Amino acid sequence: MADLKFQRNFGIAAHIDAGKTTTTERILRYTGMIHKIGEVHDGAATTDWMEQEKERGITITSAAVSCKWNFPTVKGKATAGTKEYAFNIIDTPGHVDFTVEVERSMRVLDGLIALFSAVDGVEPQSETVWRQANRYHVPRIGFVNKMDRAGADFLNVVKQVREMLGSKAVPLQIPIGAEDSFKGVVDLIKMKGIIWHAETEGMTFDEIDIPEDLLEEAKQLRAELVEAVAEYDDHLMEKFFDNPDTISEDEIHAAIRKATIDLSIVPMMCGSSFKNKGVQTALDAVCRYLPSPVDIEAVKGTDPDTGAELLRKPDPKEPFAALAFKIMTDPFVGRLAFFRCYSGHLDAGSYVLNVRSGKKERISRIMKMFANKQNPVDFIEAGDIGAAVGFKEIKTGDTLCDEDHPITLENMFIPEPVIAIAIEPKTQADVDKMGMAIAKLVEEDPTLRVNTDEDTGQTILRGMGELHLEIILDRMRREFKVEVNQGAPQVAYKEAFSKTIEHREVLKKQTGGRGKFADIMFEIGPADAEWLKENEGKHFQFVNDLFGGSIPKEFIPAINKGFETSMTTGVLAGYPMESMKIRVFDGSYHDVDSDSMSFELCAKSGFREAGRKAKPVLLEPIMKVEVLTPDQYMGDVTGDLNRRRGMLEGMDSRNNLQVIKAKVPLSEMFGYVTQLRSLSSGRATSTMEFSHYTPAPNNIAEEVIAKQKGKLNVES
């Protein structure tokens, strides 16, 4: 049984193009899992295995890999005291459209390497990743990559992490040389320089004395480092004030570890993954400073029956508890459920309880994942990450646990989709395939939502951004061989009456034998505001003011039904009615020819006739929009919202960002996410939710009606 102290579950997260996948590739090479380094730009990286990833050179799904690393070593060579550490690494995407991949990875990881580009520093998506890590209290190490690029500045990035992310970033190294001449780093704890050998792909290195020109800076930064961590150890504090030189390396390491796990500091390191420099030291730092499953307190959950809080320690002897954080479909193995085991022991072929569904699931096989390859294992224990095969229904965020000891673990945060498109199958053969494809994709991706628009009958896909939906459609074509047409989504307009009128409708049909006869006098108009308040969620107000038996009681439900069913198609352009009031006060009937059907048909034709005179208006949906933007883009963003017929409602500031609140018609919001990104160089974000319906301006209404009807003459 493996010792959990030597287990690390960590992720690599950052902005687009900071070098996450390249770094993962190097880690796999150094740990001997691959024998040839694959590059992202060649489409050969191990963790980017999807066709779309290879083509575009971006990561779309988070990939899990497992490997082993020897630590501590002397100059890269193992000694008697070297231990083998087991790593579970998750490489995550950088694009905001796939943010859920980062989100769910964070939920199950114990630590994180946050990458930054030495040239670009802290970018918008770095901020998002940081917020996600804060949400799940994930300890992290900062690694400043691309030190070999023109314009690289390590200490500037450290300063940005402090200012923009509000974290106490503490450098553990400083670079020797910069840009083209970047050779190695000065280790501020050892106070030695490290120069990596290019011929061994950086597997071995030399230790040198600190270059003269860096000595002063190194001493100053070392003093700052010791001061930053001394707060975590009183003994260190005393030594620091007496004689800082007496502080040993191990004491500093222990204090950094404590402070990192406590989330109070972020150790910063630098290197160039592409040039094979610095990744090895970063792996040592993972072993040194990031927590093992044992260091993290027991995971909290609730009892599904009583709601009481339960704890599960990271111990194989505890009852089994795990969280499924991702579902993937493999063409050969079928559906895989990735899960993090928090406590207990699970053998392949045994049963677990899915708390959400309340059903037992058989886990026929357990796999250790290596990107898209599976290595079967016989069992899995606390602290490990694996994938299960052979289950019936497990969804993202489900808790799997021991049947006798049920527990519900905290689920993850799933962001709301912001953009939608309408799709339809190209041919009849695609109809069934499309349904299956969508069902599988929705199961894999919790941010993808599908619904059928009742008003237009279209299948609407909702996702996190245009890139996200583009990739989903691409996957439908390739993986599921479904051809679809996509179009702009339709806005669901509604109609309403603006005045109340009286009307008499008579239905007479005589075709020999029994005819049809009905006669209704009624009032039609908008529903009363008071009534709408009292009857929330209802839209049809029916008042029966008949007396003296002018229309028999048994025909009243038919009249009610006739008017109510007419509401689904309005008189202007066939959109549904928002609300309506009908007051029936008189009428007449025929002993033989009148029946329920006659009165229902009479109500329907009465609605058509009278509706045209009750001044119908077109209503459009208004969205509540919130934009977070840095100050410098404020004017552009507000100007753009005004152009979209937006009503600005207020502004306030939040963490150096301006928050703009506005109400904007939905019809003007298509393509907004893309436009906002280009206005703000990708730094502003927006959220949008439905607010209410309001009458559309005349010019817009005329356009929509003409479109709907071809050309329509509305009687005034």
Side-chain angles (χ1 to χ4, degrees):
M1 194 215 113
D3 189 341
L4 280 182
K5 282 211 297 284
F6 303 121
Q7 170 90 31
R8 296 286 182 273
N9 300 317
F10 64 98
I12 298 179
H15 188 83
I16 308 152
D17 281 346
K20 296 179 288 295
T21 307
T22 308
T23 306
T24 312
E25 197 69 15
R26 297 304 182 269
I27 295 176
L28 294 177
R29 173 71 186 97
Y30 298 141
T31 54
M33 298 306 283
I34 55 174
H35 298 290
K36 178 177 177 290
I37 295 178
E39 299 299 354
V40 175
H41 48 257
D42 301 333
T46 313
T47 51
D48 284 356
W49 49 269
M50 280 170 68
E51 287 298 325
Q52 293 83 346
E53 295 180 316
K54 289 178 181 172
E55 279 172 15
R56 297 163 192 257
I58 59 171
T59 307
I60 296 169
T61 67
S62 49
V65 286
S66 310
C67 53
K68 302 271 194 311
W69 178 247
N70 291 331
F71 173 80
T73 55
V74 175
K75 295 189 184 176
K77 295 183 175 62
T79 60
T82 302
K83 299 276 192 293
E84 196 175 52
Y85 281 71
F87 287 170
N88 285 317
I89 309 171
I90 298 184
D91 174 31
T92 62
H95 287 78
V96 66
D97 290 21
F98 311 112
T99 185
V100 70
E101 292 286 335
V102 184
E103 190 81 40
R104 53 186 175 190
S105 307
M106 292 275 185
R107 169 70 185 81
V108 297
L109 292 171
D110 303 329
L112 180 71
I113 297 182
L115 283 186
F116 300 97
S117 157
V119 184
D120 306 308
V122 174
E123 296 172 276
Q125 198 52 22
S126 321
E127 298 172 24
T128 317
V129 169
W130 211 257
R131 281 201 295 276
Q132 289 170 317
N134 287 341
R135 184 180 296 134
Y136 299 112
H137 307 294
V138 180
R140 58 214 85 146
I141 294 174
F143 183 74
V144 178
N145 191 15
K146 306 195 174 182
M147 287 302 300
D148 57 318
R149 291 261 307 273
D153 186 343
F154 173 61
L155 290 174
N156 185 36
V157 178
V158 173
K159 185 166 143 235
Q160 282 185 344
V161 172
R162 283 180 195 151
E163 289 170 2
M164 292 168 76
L165 303 175
S167 292
K168 194 167 173 186
V170 179
L172 305 185
Q173 303 169 332
I174 50 172
I176 302 175
E179 303 179 358
D180 288 347
S181 59
F182 173 69
K183 297 202 286 270
V185 296
V186 171
D187 184 331
L188 296 176
I189 302 171
K190 267 192 177 162
M191 290 303 272
K192 285 273 188 223
I194 297 174
I195 306 282
W196 285 280
H197 298 161
E199 58 278 8
T200 61
E201 292 180 339
M203 295 236 188
T204 51
F205 55 87
D206 289 330
E207 280 189 1
I208 59 164
D209 290 332
I210 301 174
E212 285 296 313
D213 55 333
L214 293 174
L215 200 56
E216 272 312 301
E217 188 180 19
K219 281 182 177 165
Q220 187 196 338
L221 285 168
R222 177 183 165 101
E224 285 175 19
L225 162 70
V226 174
E227 190 178 357
V229 295
E231 302 165 22
Y232 272 79
D233 193 327
D234 296 339
H235 180 58
L236 258 190
M237 195 65 118
E238 283 170 26
K239 278 191 166 179
F240 177 67
F241 285 123
D242 295 343
N243 181 2
D245 297 336
T246 58
I247 299 173
S248 69
E249 284 178 35
D250 291 346
E251 287 175 318
I252 298 181
H253 287 315
I256 296 177
R257 178 178 178 85
K258 226 181 230 171
T260 307
I261 294 175
D262 196 37
L263 302 188
S264 47
I265 71 160
V266 176
M268 298 294 289
M269 312 182 67
C270 63
S272 160
S273 300
F274 186 57
K275 295 283 173 58
N276 305 316
K277 293 184 172 88
V279 176
Q280 314 78 334
T281 342
L283 290 179
D284 288 348
V286 165
C287 302
R288 256 197 199 116
Y289 310 130
L290 287 184
S292 69
V294 184
D295 299 319
I296 292 199
E297 293 156 15
V299 61
K300 291 188 179 98
T302 50
D303 187 320
D305 303 326
T306 61
E309 187 171 285
L310 297 170
L311 292 176
R312 289 278 187 275
K313 290 193 187 74
D315 183 348
K317 294 183 181 62
E318 286 260 311
F320 177 73
L323 183 81
F325 63 97
K326 178 176 169 135
I327 309 291
M328 189 176 109
T329 310
D330 184 274
F332 306 109
V333 186
R335 283 158 64 227
L336 291 160
F338 286 65
F339 63 94
R340 158 80 194 262
C341 177
Y342 283 100
S343 62
H345 171 107
L346 178 70
D347 287 310
S350 48
Y351 284 88
V352 294
L353 172 72
N354 181 347
V355 181
R356 178 186 55 82
S357 64
K359 291 182 180 155
K360 283 190 344 189
E361 290 276 7
R362 184 170 183 262
I363 307 294
S364 58
R365 287 184 295 161
I366 302 171
M367 308 285 191
K368 286 286 286 188
M369 293 304 291
F370 190 76
N372 61 333
K373 300 177 187 66
Q374 302 88 18
N375 304 319
V377 290
D378 297 332
F379 64 89
I380 193 161
E381 287 187 332
D384 214 345
I385 293 175
V389 181
F391 55 90
K392 282 197 175 68
E393 48 161 334
I394 298 179
K395 289 195 169 87
T396 300
D398 283 357
T399 303
L400 309 173
C401 59
D402 187 317
E403 300 163 51
D404 305 326
H405 300 88
I407 181 170
T408 308
L409 299 172
E410 176 205 4
N411 204 336
M412 54 204 80
F413 169 77
I414 303 285
E416 285 300 307
V418 291
I419 189 165
I421 55 167
I423 58 166
E424 59 181 25
K426 268 194 185 162
T427 61
Q428 199 53 44
D430 289 323
V431 175
D432 294 343
K433 282 197 301 198
M434 180 172 107
M436 277 168 56
I438 287 177
K440 278 199 172 149
L441 289 166
V442 167
E443 184 180 49
E444 281 184 31
D445 186 346
T447 53
L448 182 68
R449 311 277 167 87
V450 174
N451 64 316
T452 305
D453 192 316
E454 288 171 14
D455 305 327
T456 60
Q458 290 174 311
T459 302
I460 307 283
L461 278 186
R462 297 177 197 279
M464 296 304 297
E466 284 167 54
L467 176 66
H468 180 203
L469 291 175
E470 191 184 315
I471 288 199
I472 291 287
L473 291 174
D474 193 38
R475 285 187 63 189
M476 275 183 150
R477 259 194 300 280
R478 290 194 189 176
E479 288 172 36
F480 302 98
K481 310 285 185 280
V482 179
E483 291 294 331
V484 292
N485 295 325
Q486 67 182 80
Q490 304 285 326
V491 179
Y493 291 99
K494 287 194 172 179
E495 295 180 22
F497 295 131
S498 55
K499 80 178 217 195
T500 303
I501 60 145
E502 282 184 16
H503 181 81
R504 179 172 192 175
E505 186 71 18
V506 181
L507 175 87
K508 261 187 194 167
K509 277 190 181 164
Q510 205 65 48
T511 48
R514 190 171 170 193
K516 289 209 176 308
F517 179 83
D519 168 16
I520 318 171
M521 286 183 76
F522 61 92
E523 202 175 70
I524 183 168
D528 302 340
E530 283 295 308
W531 182 86
L532 286 170
K533 257 186 210 158
E534 285 164 20
N535 298 276
E536 212 174 315
K538 292 189 177 165
H539 305 285
F540 178 54
Q541 182 185 2
F542 185 77
V543 180
N544 177 4
D545 272 353
L546 290 166
F547 54 90
S550 52
I551 299 177
K553 264 209 292 286
E554 61 264 30
F555 297 145
I556 302 295
I559 299 175
N560 186 335
K561 186 181 166 196
F563 280 120
E564 195 166 3
T565 48
S566 304
M567 279 182 75
T568 54
T569 44
V571 290
L572 260 183
Y575 289 111
M577 300 296 303
E578 171 71 345
S579 66
M580 164 172 99
K581 176 184 176 182
I582 297 284
R583 185 174 78 86
V584 181
F585 56 87
D586 204 359
S588 63
Y589 71 105
H590 188 279
D591 283 338
V592 177
D593 288 353
S594 287
D595 59 4
S596 298
M597 189 65 177
S598 309
F599 275 98
E600 190 179 326
L601 289 171
C602 182
K604 283 182 176 172
S605 58
F607 169 83
R608 290 262 151 253
E609 287 302 316
R612 292 196 182 110
K613 298 171 190 162
K615 294 240 166 108
V617 290
L618 191 76
L619 303 178
E620 62 177 355
I622 303 290
M623 308 305 276
K624 197 158 92 196
V625 179
E626 193 172 283
V627 183
L628 273 89
T629 170
D631 289 349
Q632 62 257 51
Y633 307 114
M634 185 87 168
D636 295 347
V637 172
T638 46
D640 183 57
L641 285 170
N642 286 329
R643 218 170 32 254
R644 295 173 186 270
R645 300 195 284 127
M647 294 283 294
L648 293 182
E649 290 196 322
M651 295 176 195
D652 58 357
S653 56
R654 188 188 307 161
N655 295 345
N656 311 334
L657 290 173
Q658 295 294 328
V659 182
I660 307 168
K661 293 182 174 156
K663 296 262 174 63
V664 194
L666 175 64
S667 56
E668 304 286 343
M669 288 303 285
F670 292 130
Y672 181 65
V673 179
T674 317
Q675 176 69 17
L676 181 66
R677 281 187 196 162
S678 59
L679 281 178
S680 66
S681 335
R683 288 181 64 191
T685 56
S686 68
T687 53
M688 177 166 88
E689 57 182 341
F690 171 73
S691 167
H692 61 285
Y693 274 94
T694 186
N698 282 345
N699 58 336
I700 301 262
E702 279 164 17
E703 222 174 279
V704 171
I705 295 165
K707 215 183 249 171
Q708 241 350 59
K709 290 268 172 138
K711 193 92 172 137
L712 187 86
N713 296 320
V714 183
E715 295 170 26
S716 50

